[in-house]
Amino acid sequence: GAVVSQHPSRVICKSGTSVKIECRSLDFQATTMFWYRQFPKQSLMLMATSNEGSKATYEQGVEKDKFLINHASLTLSTLTVTSAHPEDSSFYICSARNGVTGELFFGEGSRLTVL
Amino acid sequence: AQKVTQAQTEISVVEKEDVTLDCVYETRDTTYYLFWYKQPPSGELVFLIRRNSFDEQNEISGRYSWNFQKSTSSFNFTITASQVVDSAVYFCALSEQGAQKLVFGQGTRLTINP
C-alpha cells in the first residue's frame, strides 16, 4: 500500500479562494519532503523543498507567498495555494524522504482545478 | 547543473514488440542516482528502478531491462514483449548526491496498441 498519502486527491475551487493539500508519510519519519507541480502533458517541476521545523526552500520562479509550505511534523507537510487562479490548476505531487533509509516515496498526487 | 533529456516525446508500438526509451543526463557530480518512474493515466508515480553512478551493471526485472552507460551518460529502458498495460508516461530522473531533489526528464508517452 501507499506509504505517502496525499489529500485531497482532487479539489475544485473558485478563483480567489485558498486550497490546502496535505502530504503524509504513513509509516516513516520524513525529514524532507518535496513538492512538485505537473501541468498537463508536461514533466514534474520541483516547486520547493520542505524540511521539518524550518522554512521551505523554493525553486526559482516559485512565489513563496502564493504557495505556502508548512512542515510542522516529521510525518506531515502541507501546501497551501493562496488566492488560487485558473492558471494554478495543475497536478501537485509530493514526495517524502525516509530519514533513516534515505528512500524516496511519492504521493498519489492532487489534481487542483480552479474555476 | 543537472539535466535529464528524454528525446522521445511519444512512442507507439504494437503489442509484443520490444521498445526502448532513451534517457540522457548531465551532471557535474561523480556520485549521483538515476531513476525511472512510470505514470499511468491515474497520475501516481510508480517507482521502477534506482541506480547509483558507481553501478554500471545492466539490470533486468522481468520484461524490463535497463542499460546504464556512463561513457555516453545514458540510462535507457527497454520493455520486452510489450503489453497494453505498459501504456503510460515514463520519466527518467536524476538526483545528485546531497541535493536530494529529483530532476525529471520531459517524459515519454508510450502507447502499446493491441
Side-chain angles (χ1 to χ4, degrees), chain A residues 10 31-32 34 36 38 41-46 49 51 59 91 93 97 102-109 111, chain B residues 6 10 35 37 39 41-47 50 89 91-92 95 99-107 109:
Chain A
R10 291 179 181 270
T31 51
T32 306
F34 305 89
Y36 292 84
Q38 184 181 29
K41 296 191 176 182
Q42 292 190 25
S43 187
L44 286 78
M45 299 300 296
L46 181 67
T49 301
N51 293 299
E59 295 298 302
F91 193 56
I93 305 176
R97 183 173 298 277
E103 289 179 273
L104 188 68
F105 299 94
F106 280 85
E108 310 97 321
R111 192 169 301 281
Chain B
Q6 293 178 255
E10 296 190 24
F35 302 77
Y37 287 89
Q39 187 178 42
S42 53
E44 80 275 15
L45 284 177
V46 178
F47 169 81
R50 177 179 112 152
V89 180
F91 289 99
C92 180
S95 173
Q100 300 192 50
K101 65 184 182 183
L102 290 183
V103 172
F104 286 84
Q106 301 91 322
R109 182 175 300 275

Side-chain angles (χ1 to χ4, degrees), chain B residues 5-19:
Chain B
T5 302
Q6 293 178 255
Q8 303 149 309
T9 305
E10 296 190 24
I11 299 176
S12 181
V13 301
V14 177
E15 200 172 20
K16 297 184 183 178
E17 286 186 19
D18 298 347
V19 58

Side-chain angles (χ1 to χ4, degrees), chain B residues 32-97:
Chain B
Y32 52 89
Y33 301 88
L34 295 163
F35 302 77
W36 274 96
Y37 287 89
K38 174 182 180 180
Q39 187 178 42
S42 53
E44 80 275 15
L45 284 177
V46 178
F47 169 81
L48 297 178
I49 190 171
R50 177 179 112 152
R51 176 53 51 90
N52 75 57
S53 53
F54 297 108
D55 184 2
E56 284 194 76
Q57 275 194 335
N58 290 334
E59 174 110 4
I60 298 176
S61 176
R63 295 184 297 106
Y64 295 170
S65 63
W66 290 269
N67 185 345
F68 176 28
Q69 292 198 354
K70 289 179 74 172
S71 61
T72 55
S73 297
S74 65
F75 187 43
N76 297 337
F77 172 34
T78 297
I79 301 175
T80 304
S82 60
Q83 300 175 3
V84 173
V85 293
D86 295 328
S87 296
V89 180
Y90 290 85
F91 289 99
C92 180
L94 167 72
S95 173
E96 293 175 338
Q97 186 184 31

Side-chain angles (χ1 to χ4, degrees), chain A residues 10-81:
Chain A
R10 291 179 181 270
V11 56
I12 301 173
C13 69
K14 292 182 178 180
S15 186
T17 61
S18 294
V19 174
K20 180 185 287 188
I21 300 170
E22 295 185 347
C23 178
R24 292 181 185 275
S25 56
L26 300 182
D27 58 3
F28 65 92
Q29 293 186 333
T31 51
T32 306
M33 289 186 173
F34 305 89
W35 287 96
Y36 292 84
R37 178 169 57 187
Q38 184 181 29
F39 291 112
K41 296 191 176 182
Q42 292 190 25
S43 187
L44 286 78
M45 299 300 296
L46 181 67
M47 299 175 67
T49 301
S50 169
N51 293 299
E52 187 267 337
S54 64
K55 290 184 179 181
T57 303
Y58 289 81
E59 295 298 302
Q60 193 173 10
V62 177
E63 300 175 59
K64 58 182 67 176
D65 293 331
K66 181 167 184 62
F67 297 100
L68 301 179
I69 291 173
N70 184 284
H71 193 160
S73 79
L74 285 171
T75 59
L76 174 65
S77 176
T78 60
L79 167 67
T80 301
V81 183

